[in-house]
Amino acid sequence: MESNKAFAKIILHLLIIITIFVWILPTMGLLITSFRPAEDVNNTGWWTVFSSPLDFTQYTIENYSRVFHSVGMDVAFKNSFLIAIFGTLIPVVVAAFAAFGLSKLSFKGRGIVYGIIISLLVVPLQLTFIPILKLYNIINLSGTFVGLWLAHTGYGLPLAVFMLHNFFQGLPDDLFEAAYIDGASIWTVFYRLALPLSVPSIASLFIFQFLWVWNDLLVALIYLGGSRSVAPLTMKLTNLVGSYGQDWHLLTSAAFISMIIPLIIFFSLQRYFVKGILAGSVKG
């Protein structure tokens, strides 16, 4: 029996190692290619650098410099950062208020309101593009960051409310009742108790929303258009594929520039990620 368990454990570890290797290998190739000169990229594979990995003459940062300055990635990077920050903070803040109210405040129709919000999860985004774009054209929000922030807020709120509602629902009511007895207001209870306790759930929600907004192309293309002054990184990468389809060294550098911020966000908040995913799934 013990030998079977040990064998199963070895197999499991091997499968995990193989999965990690298969997952990381393309990213490693992308990273190495982004630092190689164009001539080397066209003539040899990226794995050839391991024949002499300490030969730094085979690496260059010219690709990043050219992409970031000459191709206009600097403007696109700023646009993506601006879009992602507010396109994440606004729905997370609104969802925190809404989820707390729907889970801990008693009022008529609470279940109906929550059901309507959750039902929006099954509505395809494509159905909303034309009516919202027509409305934006009337109120002059089309092609603006504000319009895109509001769109991402509307699209992200149903899932955000659902995630945070499950967490708030799992918090003990006695804790909040004791605070009310001590004279705390609803705002104090929310700010002093609910928010500090919900940091893991909010952090995981922040990661999901930020990655979705940062990697979004369709919604940004619909509501912003193709103007260079407001185009995010996803649009710029699409243009690079069309304009520099053969310049893989530039494409890989541009792709890695677009990955920097999401990686920083994820690794900064990863300690909360698992706790936030499991929040509200188990009671007691």
Side-chain angles (χ1 to χ4, degrees), residues 71-87:
V71 185
M73 290 291 288
D74 53 343
V75 176
F77 188 89
K78 294 176 183 177
N79 292 340
S80 282
F81 190 78
L82 189 62
I83 293 169
I85 287 297
F86 289 97

Side-chain angles (χ1 to χ4, degrees), residues 171-225:
L171 296 177
D173 293 331
D174 295 343
L175 180 66
F176 298 97
E177 292 174 0
Y180 290 136
I181 292 175
D182 290 339
S185 63
I186 294 177
W187 168 253
T188 302
V189 169
F190 174 74
Y191 180 72
R192 296 290 186 180
L193 291 179
L195 281 186
L197 292 173
S198 61
V199 168
S201 185
I202 291 177
S204 62
L205 174 61
F206 187 93
I207 292 174
F208 278 125
Q209 181 70 12
F210 186 90
L211 292 180
W212 180 63
V213 176
W214 183 271
N215 293 321
D216 169 68
L217 172 62
L218 181 60
V219 177
L221 185 62
I222 294 295
Y223 297 120
L224 284 182

Side-chain angles (χ1 to χ4, degrees), residues 52-82:
S52 53
L54 297 181
D55 181 12
F56 294 104
T57 59
Q58 59 184 332
Y59 306 114
T60 179
I61 61 172
E62 182 182 353
N63 300 334
Y64 284 92
S65 178
R66 181 179 172 187
V67 167
F68 202 77
H69 295 97
S70 301
V71 185
M73 290 291 288
D74 53 343
V75 176
F77 188 89
K78 294 176 183 177
N79 292 340
S80 282
F81 190 78
L82 189 62

Side-chain angles (χ1 to χ4, degrees), residues 115-127:
I116 292 175
I117 293 175
I118 297 306
S119 66
L120 295 176
L121 286 170
V122 301
V123 178
L125 300 184
Q126 293 81 356
L127 293 179

Side-chain angles (χ1 to χ4, degrees), residues 144-181:
T144 65
F145 288 141
V146 175
L148 187 58
W149 295 337
L150 294 177
H152 280 305
T153 299
Y155 295 145
L157 269 179
L159 178 61
V161 171
F162 174 73
M163 290 182 61
L164 294 181
H165 178 273
N166 287 346
F167 180 82
F168 287 134
Q169 195 72 29
L171 296 177
D173 293 331
D174 295 343
L175 180 66
F176 298 97
E177 292 174 0
Y180 290 136
I181 292 175

